[in-house]
């Protein structure tokens, strides 16, 4: 498996892909693999006011490298992870007091990406720490950071629309903490501060993170190879 990345796509009212634009720079071979794979994916048509319409959204994908039995050649395929708005690069703070006390945490938040690209209605739907307790107070700090982010909203029938998303973030001091959770809790490298990083310093989060539309807002792909959830 590799780090997930987004591909901007245009879909016609029938759910067929008409254009692909990877959001990361790729070698020609991989760019061609993305284009030739995604163009074959068939999505459930997007409905607006009860009618199927054209839509622009961002697919979360990842490359899978594998070998066939008794072959030395390494094969590549593109896997589908999910879709939703594109959330721009951003930075976050390690939750207050966690770094100095060696506490790991995972936060799963739900939010709304508005048509103007702002992010609001942020709420903590799950938080867990290496102490085995929820971290409601620190979740407020995580929500405050998320509220400063900007996004590119999904475009339906030529107009931006609001979309609900799930955002997961892991703040890790000890790698063993991650072994107890499903991979799809973050789908990105967790924030691991340098040993001399002050407890409240801002540090870049590797992008992209897990910002996926919730099931009622997401487009459903019918024939793509999907990344395993654990």
């Amino acid at each position: 498996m590799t780090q997930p990345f987004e591909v901007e796509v245009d879909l016609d009212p029938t759910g067929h892909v008409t254009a692909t634009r990877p959001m990361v720079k790729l070698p020609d071979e991989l760019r061609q693999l993305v284009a030739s794979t995604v163009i074959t994916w068939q999505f459930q048509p997007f409905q607006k006011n009860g009618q199927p319409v054209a839509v622009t959204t961002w697919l979360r994908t990842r490359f899978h490298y594998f070998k066939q039995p008794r072959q030395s050649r390494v094969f590549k395929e593109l896997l589908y992870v999910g879709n939703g708005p594109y959330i721009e690069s951003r930075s976050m703070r390690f939750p207050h007091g966690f770094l100095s006390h060696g506490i790991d945490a995972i936060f799963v938040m739900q939010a709304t990406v508005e048509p103007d690209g702002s992010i609001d209605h942020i709420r903590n739907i799950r938080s867990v720490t290496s102490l085995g307790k929820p971290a409601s107070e620190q979740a407020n700090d995580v929500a405050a950071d998320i509220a400063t982010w900007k996004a590119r909203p999904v475009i339906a029938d030529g107009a931006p629309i609001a979309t609900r998303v799930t955002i997961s973030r892991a703040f890790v001091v000890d790698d063993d903490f991650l072994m107890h959770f499903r991979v799809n809790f973050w789908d990105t490298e967790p924030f691991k501060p340098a040993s001399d990083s002050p407890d409240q310093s801002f540090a870049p989060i590797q992008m992209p993170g897990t910002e996926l539309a919730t099931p009622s807002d997401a487009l459903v792909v019918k024939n793509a190879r999907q990344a395993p959830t654990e």
Side-chain angles (χ1 to χ4, degrees), residues 78-91:
L78 188 71
L79 303 183
Y80 172 84
V81 179
N83 69 81
Y86 181 77
I87 297 182
E88 305 285 357
S89 58
R90 58 276 176 189
S91 54

Side-chain angles (χ1 to χ4, degrees), residues 88-142:
E88 305 285 357
S89 58
R90 58 276 176 189
S91 54
M92 298 186 75
R93 294 169 293 179
F94 210 90
H96 179 67
F98 279 18
L99 180 56
S100 58
H101 292 90
I103 300 172
D104 306 299
I106 293 175
F107 297 88
V108 183
M109 319 291 285
Q110 194 171 82
T112 298
V113 171
E114 299 290 356
D116 65 359
S118 63
I119 303 176
D120 58 15
H121 302 297
I122 304 162
R123 66 184 184 93
N124 175 31
I125 59 175
R126 183 178 180 187
S127 62
V128 63
T129 72
S130 51
L131 300 178
K133 299 178 180 179
S136 301
E137 181 179 346
Q138 286 77 12
N140 292 333
D141 294 335
V142 174

Side-chain angles (χ1 to χ4, degrees), residues 142-163:
V142 174
D145 280 345
I146 291 173
T148 67
W149 299 353
K150 295 293 290 182
R152 302 185 198 181
V154 171
I155 305 296
D157 197 25
I161 60 171
T163 310

Side-chain angles (χ1 to χ4, degrees), residues 3 17 22 29 31 41 90 96 101 110 132 164 180-181 184 186 189-190 194 221 229:
Q3 186 78 2
V17 178
E29 177 190 3
R31 178 177 285 273
W41 292 350
R90 58 276 176 189
H96 179 67
H101 292 90
Q110 194 171 82
R164 292 179 302 124
H180 302 289
F181 297 94
N184 65 338
W186 50 88
E189 291 297 319
V221 65
T229 58

Side-chain angles (χ1 to χ4, degrees), residues 3-4 60 62 81 183-189 208-210 212:
Q3 186 78 2
R60 175 171 290 277
R62 68 193 315 161
V81 179
V183 172
N184 65 338
F185 260 100
W186 50 88
D187 262 339
T188 187
E189 291 297 319
T210 301
L212 298 180

